[in-house]
Amino acid sequence: MSKMELLQECAQRRQKLMAKVGTGVMILASAPLSYHHKDVEHKYRQEADLYYFTGFPEPETVAVIAPQHPEHRFVLFVRPKDKEKETWSGYRVGVEAAKTLYGADAVYPIGELDEHLPKYLEGADTIYYSFGQNEKVNQQVLQHYRQLLATYGKRGTGPKQIADSRFLTTPLRQYKSDYELAQIRQAVAIAVQAHQHVRAIARPGMYEYELEAILEGDFRKGGAMGCAYPSIVASGANSCILHYVENNRQMQPGDVVLIDAGCCYNYYNSDITRTFPLEGKFTSEQQAIYDIVLTAQRQAIAQVRPGKTINDVHQAAVHTIVAGLLDLGLLAGSPEEIIEKELYKPFFMHRTSHWLGIDVHDSGFYKQEGEWAVLQAGMVITVEPGIYISPTIEPGEGQPPVADHWRGIGIRIEDDVLVTEGGHEVLTAGLSK
Ligand code: GLY
Ligand code: MN
Ligand code: MN
């Protein structure tokens, strides 16, 4: 799909958003620039809601969605063209082109936000805004809200509250369109190939970072924007560290290798974990743990269908893992009590699923008003149970000690799963496990 088609879809998304914003007004702010080493800029990545509704990729941008405004229902504030600045930090769309290309009813230079924002706010009863990382815009929104409140008595109209915009944007972002699914499928295809590549060449004596380099090289060669998150290449006991990213160990015979790596293609992410024996064959302990995690994952995936909750998926994994650890003597007691008291948590301390999309941990509620989120066709989640028996593990109260031969084994298996009308589709099914 071309950029033009994306922008047409953004226009449709804004129509749906406007229906929700109603008599209010929504302000969406770009992500701030972020830096390493104080002044070296990270590659810029647009804030997800702003990107979703505008497709506009630049920093220092504010979008206003003002359904009640007579002429300007969609307004952009952007960086103006600037020859010198563009020489240093790249092309800018600019005010004129933003209007034609991005379909805004009005576009202003970002420096004029304070001047023009009030006229879009004063007719609205609610400002929808999410106080996020953009401190500058946070302050500007607050200041205009205060000023309008102070003069409300004279005008008799104007915003009386600020509500978090994510309660309106999230329900739209949760359902992936065909366009979005095509991007996720491509992010999956690139990452699947990269996982296959490193698995084929991994040998004792190599360093974890050699696999990381190949994964990330393959991501870029495949046309991905880059990693979805820092790649985890965790061999041996490193497999028990959930967010291990040093990737600097020399891999040894007998290791398991846990690779959690996904890429970002055209703003959409894949998120995949596989754990494999470095020498092609697990030890009996590694195999026993692997089999439990694989069964847990299959049981969890079997729960994915419209009407089931995200917690049903997790509970299926928990039940299988608890039963498996009881069988191996790594837990003792009744399964009900172990689950009730969460005594399995020293071995399985994270949840099974998160939403996946423009953000790796995508916008979406897990629980609202006490109720677990219900899965519906078009949603995409990960299913990623694991068992981690760290070298220093202390079992929960009243549980058997962990024998040494179990220590240092960490297994996670993670797939990306689309909820369909009839059940689900495992998007990452092409990668063996
Ligand atoms: N790699 C990030 C996650 O699995 O959530
Ligand atoms: Mn994940
Ligand atoms: Mn992951």
Side-chain angles (χ1 to χ4, degrees):
M1 205 189 236
S2 72
K3 177 100 182 173
M4 263 353 268
E5 287 166 292
L6 164 67
L7 296 179
Q8 278 166 12
E9 183 159 315
C10 288
Q12 292 165 9
R13 295 172 186 168
R14 285 194 301 274
Q15 286 305 320
K16 290 188 191 165
L17 184 61
M18 286 195 194
K20 288 168 167 276
V21 171
T23 53
V25 61
M26 185 175 287
I27 303 168
L28 298 169
S30 59
L33 291 164
S34 66
Y35 298 89
H36 4 222
H37 310 297
K38 298 194 182 77
D39 62 352
V40 179
E41 274 177 32
H42 276 278
K43 268 193 194 175
Y44 186 70
R45 184 179 164 85
Q46 187 56 279
E47 194 280 326
D49 272 353
L50 180 55
Y51 188 77
Y52 183 83
F53 290 104
T54 68
F56 199 76
E58 295 183 18
E60 296 183 83
T61 302
V62 168
V64 179
I65 306 290
Q68 86 300 333
H69 193 276
E71 296 156 88
H72 302 161
R73 290 154 52 88
F74 170 40
V75 182
L76 279 174
F77 293 85
V78 305
R79 300 183 305 183
K81 296 291 281 179
D82 181 323
K83 262 212 162 78
E84 195 197 332
K85 289 198 172 127
E86 289 182 60
T87 302
W88 284 90
S89 51
Y91 175 77
R92 297 175 170 195
V93 171
V95 172
E96 288 307 313
K99 192 164 176 186
T100 37
L101 286 178
Y102 289 86
D105 301 316
V107 183
Y108 305 99
I110 186 68
E112 295 177 14
L113 184 68
D114 285 327
E115 185 182 332
H116 296 288
L117 190 57
K119 65 175 177 255
Y120 299 111
L121 306 185
E122 65 192 12
D125 56 7
T126 301
I127 297 173
Y128 293 99
Y129 180 71
S130 185
F131 286 92
Q133 293 174 328
N134 197 325
E135 280 304 338
K136 186 165 182 218
V137 180
N138 289 348
Q139 289 311 318
Q140 287 172 299
V141 170
L142 207 51
Q143 189 198 339
H144 287 293
Y145 172 59
R146 280 199 185 124
Q147 275 171 3
L148 288 168
L149 262 188
T151 53
Y152 180 91
K154 285 190 197 147
R155 283 174 291 108
T157 59
K160 287 180 266 186
Q161 57 184 346
I162 300 182
D164 196 291
S165 53
R166 288 171 296 185
F167 289 96
L168 302 190
T169 58
T170 294
L172 295 174
R173 278 180 56 192
Q174 283 223 278
Y175 296 89
K176 271 57 180 178
S177 67
D178 289 345
Y179 166 81
E180 293 184 281
L181 289 173
Q183 314 314 307
I184 294 174
R185 286 180 198 281
Q186 189 59 25
V188 163
I190 295 165
V192 163
Q193 178 278 324
H195 273 259
Q196 285 164 339
H197 186 179
V198 291
R199 180 154 178 182
I201 62 156
R203 298 280 181 277
M206 289 176 83
Y207 285 83
E208 293 165 340
Y209 55 71
E210 295 178 62
L211 302 187
E212 177 188 6
I214 289 165
L215 285 165
E216 298 184 2
D218 283 2
F219 290 167
R220 286 296 279 156
K221 278 188 213 158
M225 294 164 85
C227 299
Y229 48 86
S231 305
I232 297 168
V233 181
S235 64
N238 291 337
S239 60
C240 302
I241 304 170
L242 297 182
H243 291 162
Y244 174 77
V245 292
E246 286 79 7
N247 301 347
N248 56 10
R249 177 176 174 270
Q250 190 175 31
M251 299 184 288
Q252 303 298 318
D255 279 352
V256 296
V257 183
L258 183 159
I259 296 184
D260 184 348
C263 65
C264 180
Y265 180 79
N266 197 16
Y267 275 87
Y268 287 82
N269 296 288
S270 53
D271 182 1
I272 309 177
T273 309
R274 289 290 184 272
T275 311
F276 59 87
L278 184 56
E279 293 178 295
K281 198 168 168 8
F282 283 129
T283 65
S284 59
E285 288 84 359
Q286 292 164 354
Q287 186 74 54
I289 301 299
Y290 190 88
D291 289 345
I292 299 170
V293 175
L294 184 58
T295 308
Q297 204 219 18
R298 289 196 173 126
Q299 298 290 343
I301 290 173
Q303 292 293 312
V304 180
R305 58 179 175 273
K308 288 285 186 176
T309 70
I310 196 129
N311 193 44
D312 292 331
V313 179
H314 180 58
Q315 291 306 323
V318 167
H319 279 83
T320 308
I321 284 173
V322 166
L325 293 174
L326 277 166
D327 270 351
L328 297 180
L330 285 160
L331 287 173
S334 80
E336 295 76 20
E337 189 190 5
I338 289 167
I339 290 169
E340 157 88 29
K341 295 189 176 161
E342 299 188 329
L343 296 173
Y344 58 84
K345 275 206 166 165
F347 301 98
F348 178 31
M349 59 296 279
H350 57 79
R351 291 194 66 87
T352 303
S353 299
H354 56 81
W355 311 107
L356 181 71
I358 296 183
D359 289 320
V360 180
H361 293 180
D362 205 36
S363 194
F365 301 103
Y366 295 93
K367 229 179 192 183
Q368 266 193 303
E369 283 155 31
E371 301 293 330
W372 289 104
V374 177
L375 300 176
Q376 302 292 354
M379 296 177 171
V380 179
I381 62 171
T382 65
V383 181
E384 48 176 310
I387 295 178
Y388 313 90
I389 314 178
S390 89
T392 55
I393 193 169
E394 294 292 345
E397 208 182 303
Q399 292 301 300
V402 176
D404 281 348
H405 60 274
W406 291 112
R407 290 176 184 270
I409 302 173
I411 310 279
R412 176 165 67 257
I413 309 172
E414 175 175 30
D415 281 303
D416 303 340
V417 182
L418 167 67
V419 187
T420 62
E421 298 290 347
H424 59 257
E425 178 190 343
V426 180
L427 300 172
T428 42
L431 186 58
S432 69
K433 45 194 183 189

